Amino acid sequence: MTPPLTGLRVLDLATLFAGPLAATLLGDFGAEVIKIEHPSRPDPSRGHGPAKNGVGLWWKLLGRNKRAMTLDLSKPGGRTTLLRLAAGADAVIENFRPGTLEKWGLGWEELSAANPRLVLARVTAFGQFGPYAHRPGFGTLAEAMSGFAAITGEPDAPPTLPPFGLADSIAGLATAYAVMTALAARDRTGAGQVVDMAIIEPILMVLGPQATWYDQLGHVQPRTGNRSQNNAPRNTYRTADGHWVAVSTSAQSVAERVMRLVGRPDLADEPWFATGTGRARHADVLDAAVGGWIARRTRAEVLEVFDKAEAAVAPVQDVRDVMTDPQYTALETITTIPDDPELGRLRMQNVLFRLSATPGTIRWAGRPHSADTDAVLTELGLTGPEITALRAEGAL
C-alpha cells in the first residue's frame, strides 16, 4: 500500500530535535526527506547519548527514512544547489536563528521565488520576532519559561526539568501538523507560506488552562509532586514486593470503584468525594487508604485486582519493561529493523500512529553522514564535474 505522503519532498535543514523530528514524522508516512547537514559539522544528535561501535544510536531513530547529504549553505555553490533543490520540494524545515538564511540569500523571498508553492517551516526557541528572537535557545529554556518546570516536582523541592527533550518533542509534533496544515492550504490556494514555530509555545498549550485560571481567578498552579489538584487518589504507590504502580481516578465512577476495592466505601459517601477538586483536597486520607492497601500486596496482585474491578492502574515501567510489555507488543510499538548496514538488527519505536488503509513504515534507520550526497545531486541533474567543483569549493 502506498503511504499517504508519497510524492511529498521535504528538505530537512534543522538540527537537534524539534525540526528534525517533524521531518522524521513526515518521512514515516511516505514523504521523501532529504537531510542536509554541514560537511564538517553534522547534526549534533549523531553524537548525543550512547553509541555503539562509534555509531550514535539517537541518530538511528531521528534520521530514519531520510536521505543524508551535505551542503554548506554559506558557500555560493551551496546556496545555488539549495535553491535548485527547493524548486522541486514541497517543504523546507530549518531552525537557524532568525536572519541566518537571509544572510546567505536563502530567506523566504529567495525560496518562494524559486518555488511559489513551497512551505518554509522555521523552528526556533522564541519565534521569528519579539525581544528574545535573537537569542540562542533549546527546549530546556521552553520547559522553564512555559511554567512546566514550576509545576513539576515536590512542593518543597526545586522546580524539575524533564530528563529528555520534552519541549522539543512537542514542538516537533506541532511542526509536522503545521506543515501539513500549510500544505492543505496550498492545495486550495496554490501558494506556499511560512510556518513560524516557537518552541516555547506548544508546551504551553499542553499545560492546559493555566492562563485562563490565572486570568479569571488569579490561580497559580503549585508543585504537587505526583498528586493532582484536579482529582484524587492520583499518585504512585509501592507494592509489597518493592515495585511501583500508578493510580488515576479522573472519572468519578473509577474513584468510587477504587475506594470499594481497597475496603473504604465509606469515603465515597463523603460529600466532598463527589467532585475531583473535593477529592484532591482530601488527598492525604485517600492516599493513606489506597497506599496502605497496595503496600500489603504484590504488584501482580494489585494489577489483577484493579483490572477485575475496572479501576485504572498501570505499573511504573522502565525501558526494559516496555520492550516486553504485552500491550506494546500487541500494538507493535517497538519494531525491528533487521538489516541496518552499520548495526545489523536493531529495535526502535514504530511510527506514531496506525492508519488502516495507508500505514506508515520505517524503510531504513539513520544513514551515515553524507551517504546520499552524490545520488541526490545526480538526480537533481548535476554532472560529475559539477559535483567535483562543489566539493572543491567546500560546498559539499
Side-chain angles (χ1 to χ4, degrees), residues 166-181:
L166 177 63
D168 277 312
S169 298
I170 296 171
L173 292 165
T175 301
Y177 167 66
V179 168
M180 294 310 301
T181 301

Side-chain angles (χ1 to χ4, degrees), residues 370-384:
S370 191
D372 303 295
T373 297
D374 285 14
V376 171
L377 294 179
T378 300
E379 293 166 11
L380 190 60
L382 274 69
T383 64

Side-chain angles (χ1 to χ4, degrees), residues 313-361:
V313 69
V316 175
Q317 301 189 148
D318 64 21
V319 68
R320 293 168 295 185
D321 304 310
V322 169
M323 300 295 270
T324 58
D325 182 277
Q327 183 60 33
Y328 282 129
T329 299
L331 296 174
E332 298 183 357
T333 305
I334 304 298
T335 191
T336 299
I337 297 172
D339 54 358
D340 180 75
E342 294 180 294
L343 298 176
R345 179 181 178 275
L346 72 152
R347 290 186 289 172
M348 64 174 61
Q349 297 95 314
N350 211 335
V351 299
L352 192 60
F353 49 86
R354 287 162 292 281
L355 296 179
S356 61
T358 56
T361 184

Side-chain angles (χ1 to χ4, degrees), residues 12-358:
D12 175 9
L13 313 183
T15 58
L16 280 183
F17 308 131
L21 177 59
T24 301
L25 298 174
L26 299 174
D28 283 351
F29 286 90
E32 179 194 2
V33 179
I34 300 176
K35 175 72 176 182
I36 299 177
E37 300 172 84
H38 191 278
S40 60
R41 297 191 299 276
D43 188 320
S45 67
R46 290 181 180 272
H48 270 52
K52 181 180 179 181
N53 300 330
V55 177
L57 300 180
W58 203 327
W59 170 251
K60 284 296 177 183
L61 173 68
L62 193 63
R64 72 189 190 192
N65 293 333
K66 299 179 183 181
R67 304 176 76 189
M69 71 170 291
T70 56
L71 207 57
D72 186 342
L73 304 181
S74 69
K75 303 288 187 183
R79 174 186 181 276
T80 301
T81 303
L82 184 71
L83 289 173
R84 290 183 64 172
L85 286 166
D90 297 281
V92 171
I93 301 174
E94 62 97 1
N95 71 334
F96 300 105
R97 283 200 228 178
T100 301
L101 282 184
E102 287 75 9
K103 177 180 68 177
W104 295 332
L106 291 169
W108 176 239
E109 182 177 345
E110 292 84 1
L111 288 170
S112 61
N115 181 357
R117 291 173 55 82
L118 187 71
V119 170
L120 173 62
R122 317 196 74 168
V123 186
T124 57
F126 305 108
Q128 294 296 308
F129 58 91
Y132 303 166
H134 68 284
R135 297 180 180 177
F138 302 98
T140 296
L141 306 190
E143 290 146 11
M145 284 183 59
S146 63
F148 172 85
I151 65 170
T152 304
E154 295 298 327
D156 56 351
T160 300
L161 295 167
F164 65 100
L166 177 63
D168 277 312
S169 298
I170 296 171
L173 292 165
T175 301
Y177 167 66
V179 168
M180 294 310 301
T181 301
L183 289 173
R186 186 194 69 177
D187 289 344
R188 295 197 312 273
T189 67
Q193 60 184 298
V194 176
V195 172
D196 180 3
M197 178 62 66
I199 296 173
I200 61 173
E201 292 184 304
I203 189 172
L204 190 62
M205 175 61 74
V206 303
L207 286 174
Q210 289 194 35
T212 305
W213 286 342
Y214 180 74
D215 174 67
Q216 296 295 303
L217 301 172
H219 175 71
V220 178
Q221 184 174 341
R223 288 192 292 283
T224 56
N226 289 325
R227 288 180 173 177
S228 168
Q229 285 192 305
N230 306 313
N231 68 84
R234 190 264 197 182
N235 213 326
T236 58
Y237 307 94
R238 190 163 189 167
T239 62
D241 52 350
H243 295 289
W244 292 86
V245 297
V247 173
S248 179
T249 58
S250 296
Q252 181 70 22
S253 59
V254 173
E256 292 172 0
R257 288 179 205 145
V258 169
M259 301 324 297
R260 289 196 296 269
L261 185 155
V262 301
R264 292 300 306 273
D266 55 301
L267 294 176
D269 294 330
E270 295 286 349
W272 48 261
F273 197 89
T275 66
T277 303
R279 296 197 306 275
R281 286 196 291 263
H282 294 79
D284 285 343
V285 65
L286 295 174
D287 273 347
V290 175
W293 185 90
I294 288 175
R296 298 189 297 272
R297 290 160 176 83
T298 66
R299 180 174 67 176
E301 291 172 322
V302 171
L303 296 177
E304 179 182 3
V305 174
F306 265 70
D307 184 41
K308 289 180 179 178
E310 297 184 359
V313 69
V316 175
Q317 301 189 148
D318 64 21
V319 68
R320 293 168 295 185
D321 304 310
V322 169
M323 300 295 270
T324 58
D325 182 277
Q327 183 60 33
Y328 282 129
T329 299
L331 296 174
E332 298 183 357
T333 305
I334 304 298
T335 191
T336 299
I337 297 172
D339 54 358
D340 180 75
E342 294 180 294
L343 298 176
R345 179 181 178 275
L346 72 152
R347 290 186 289 172
M348 64 174 61
Q349 297 95 314
N350 211 335
V351 299
L352 192 60
F353 49 86
R354 287 162 292 281
L355 296 179
S356 61
T358 56

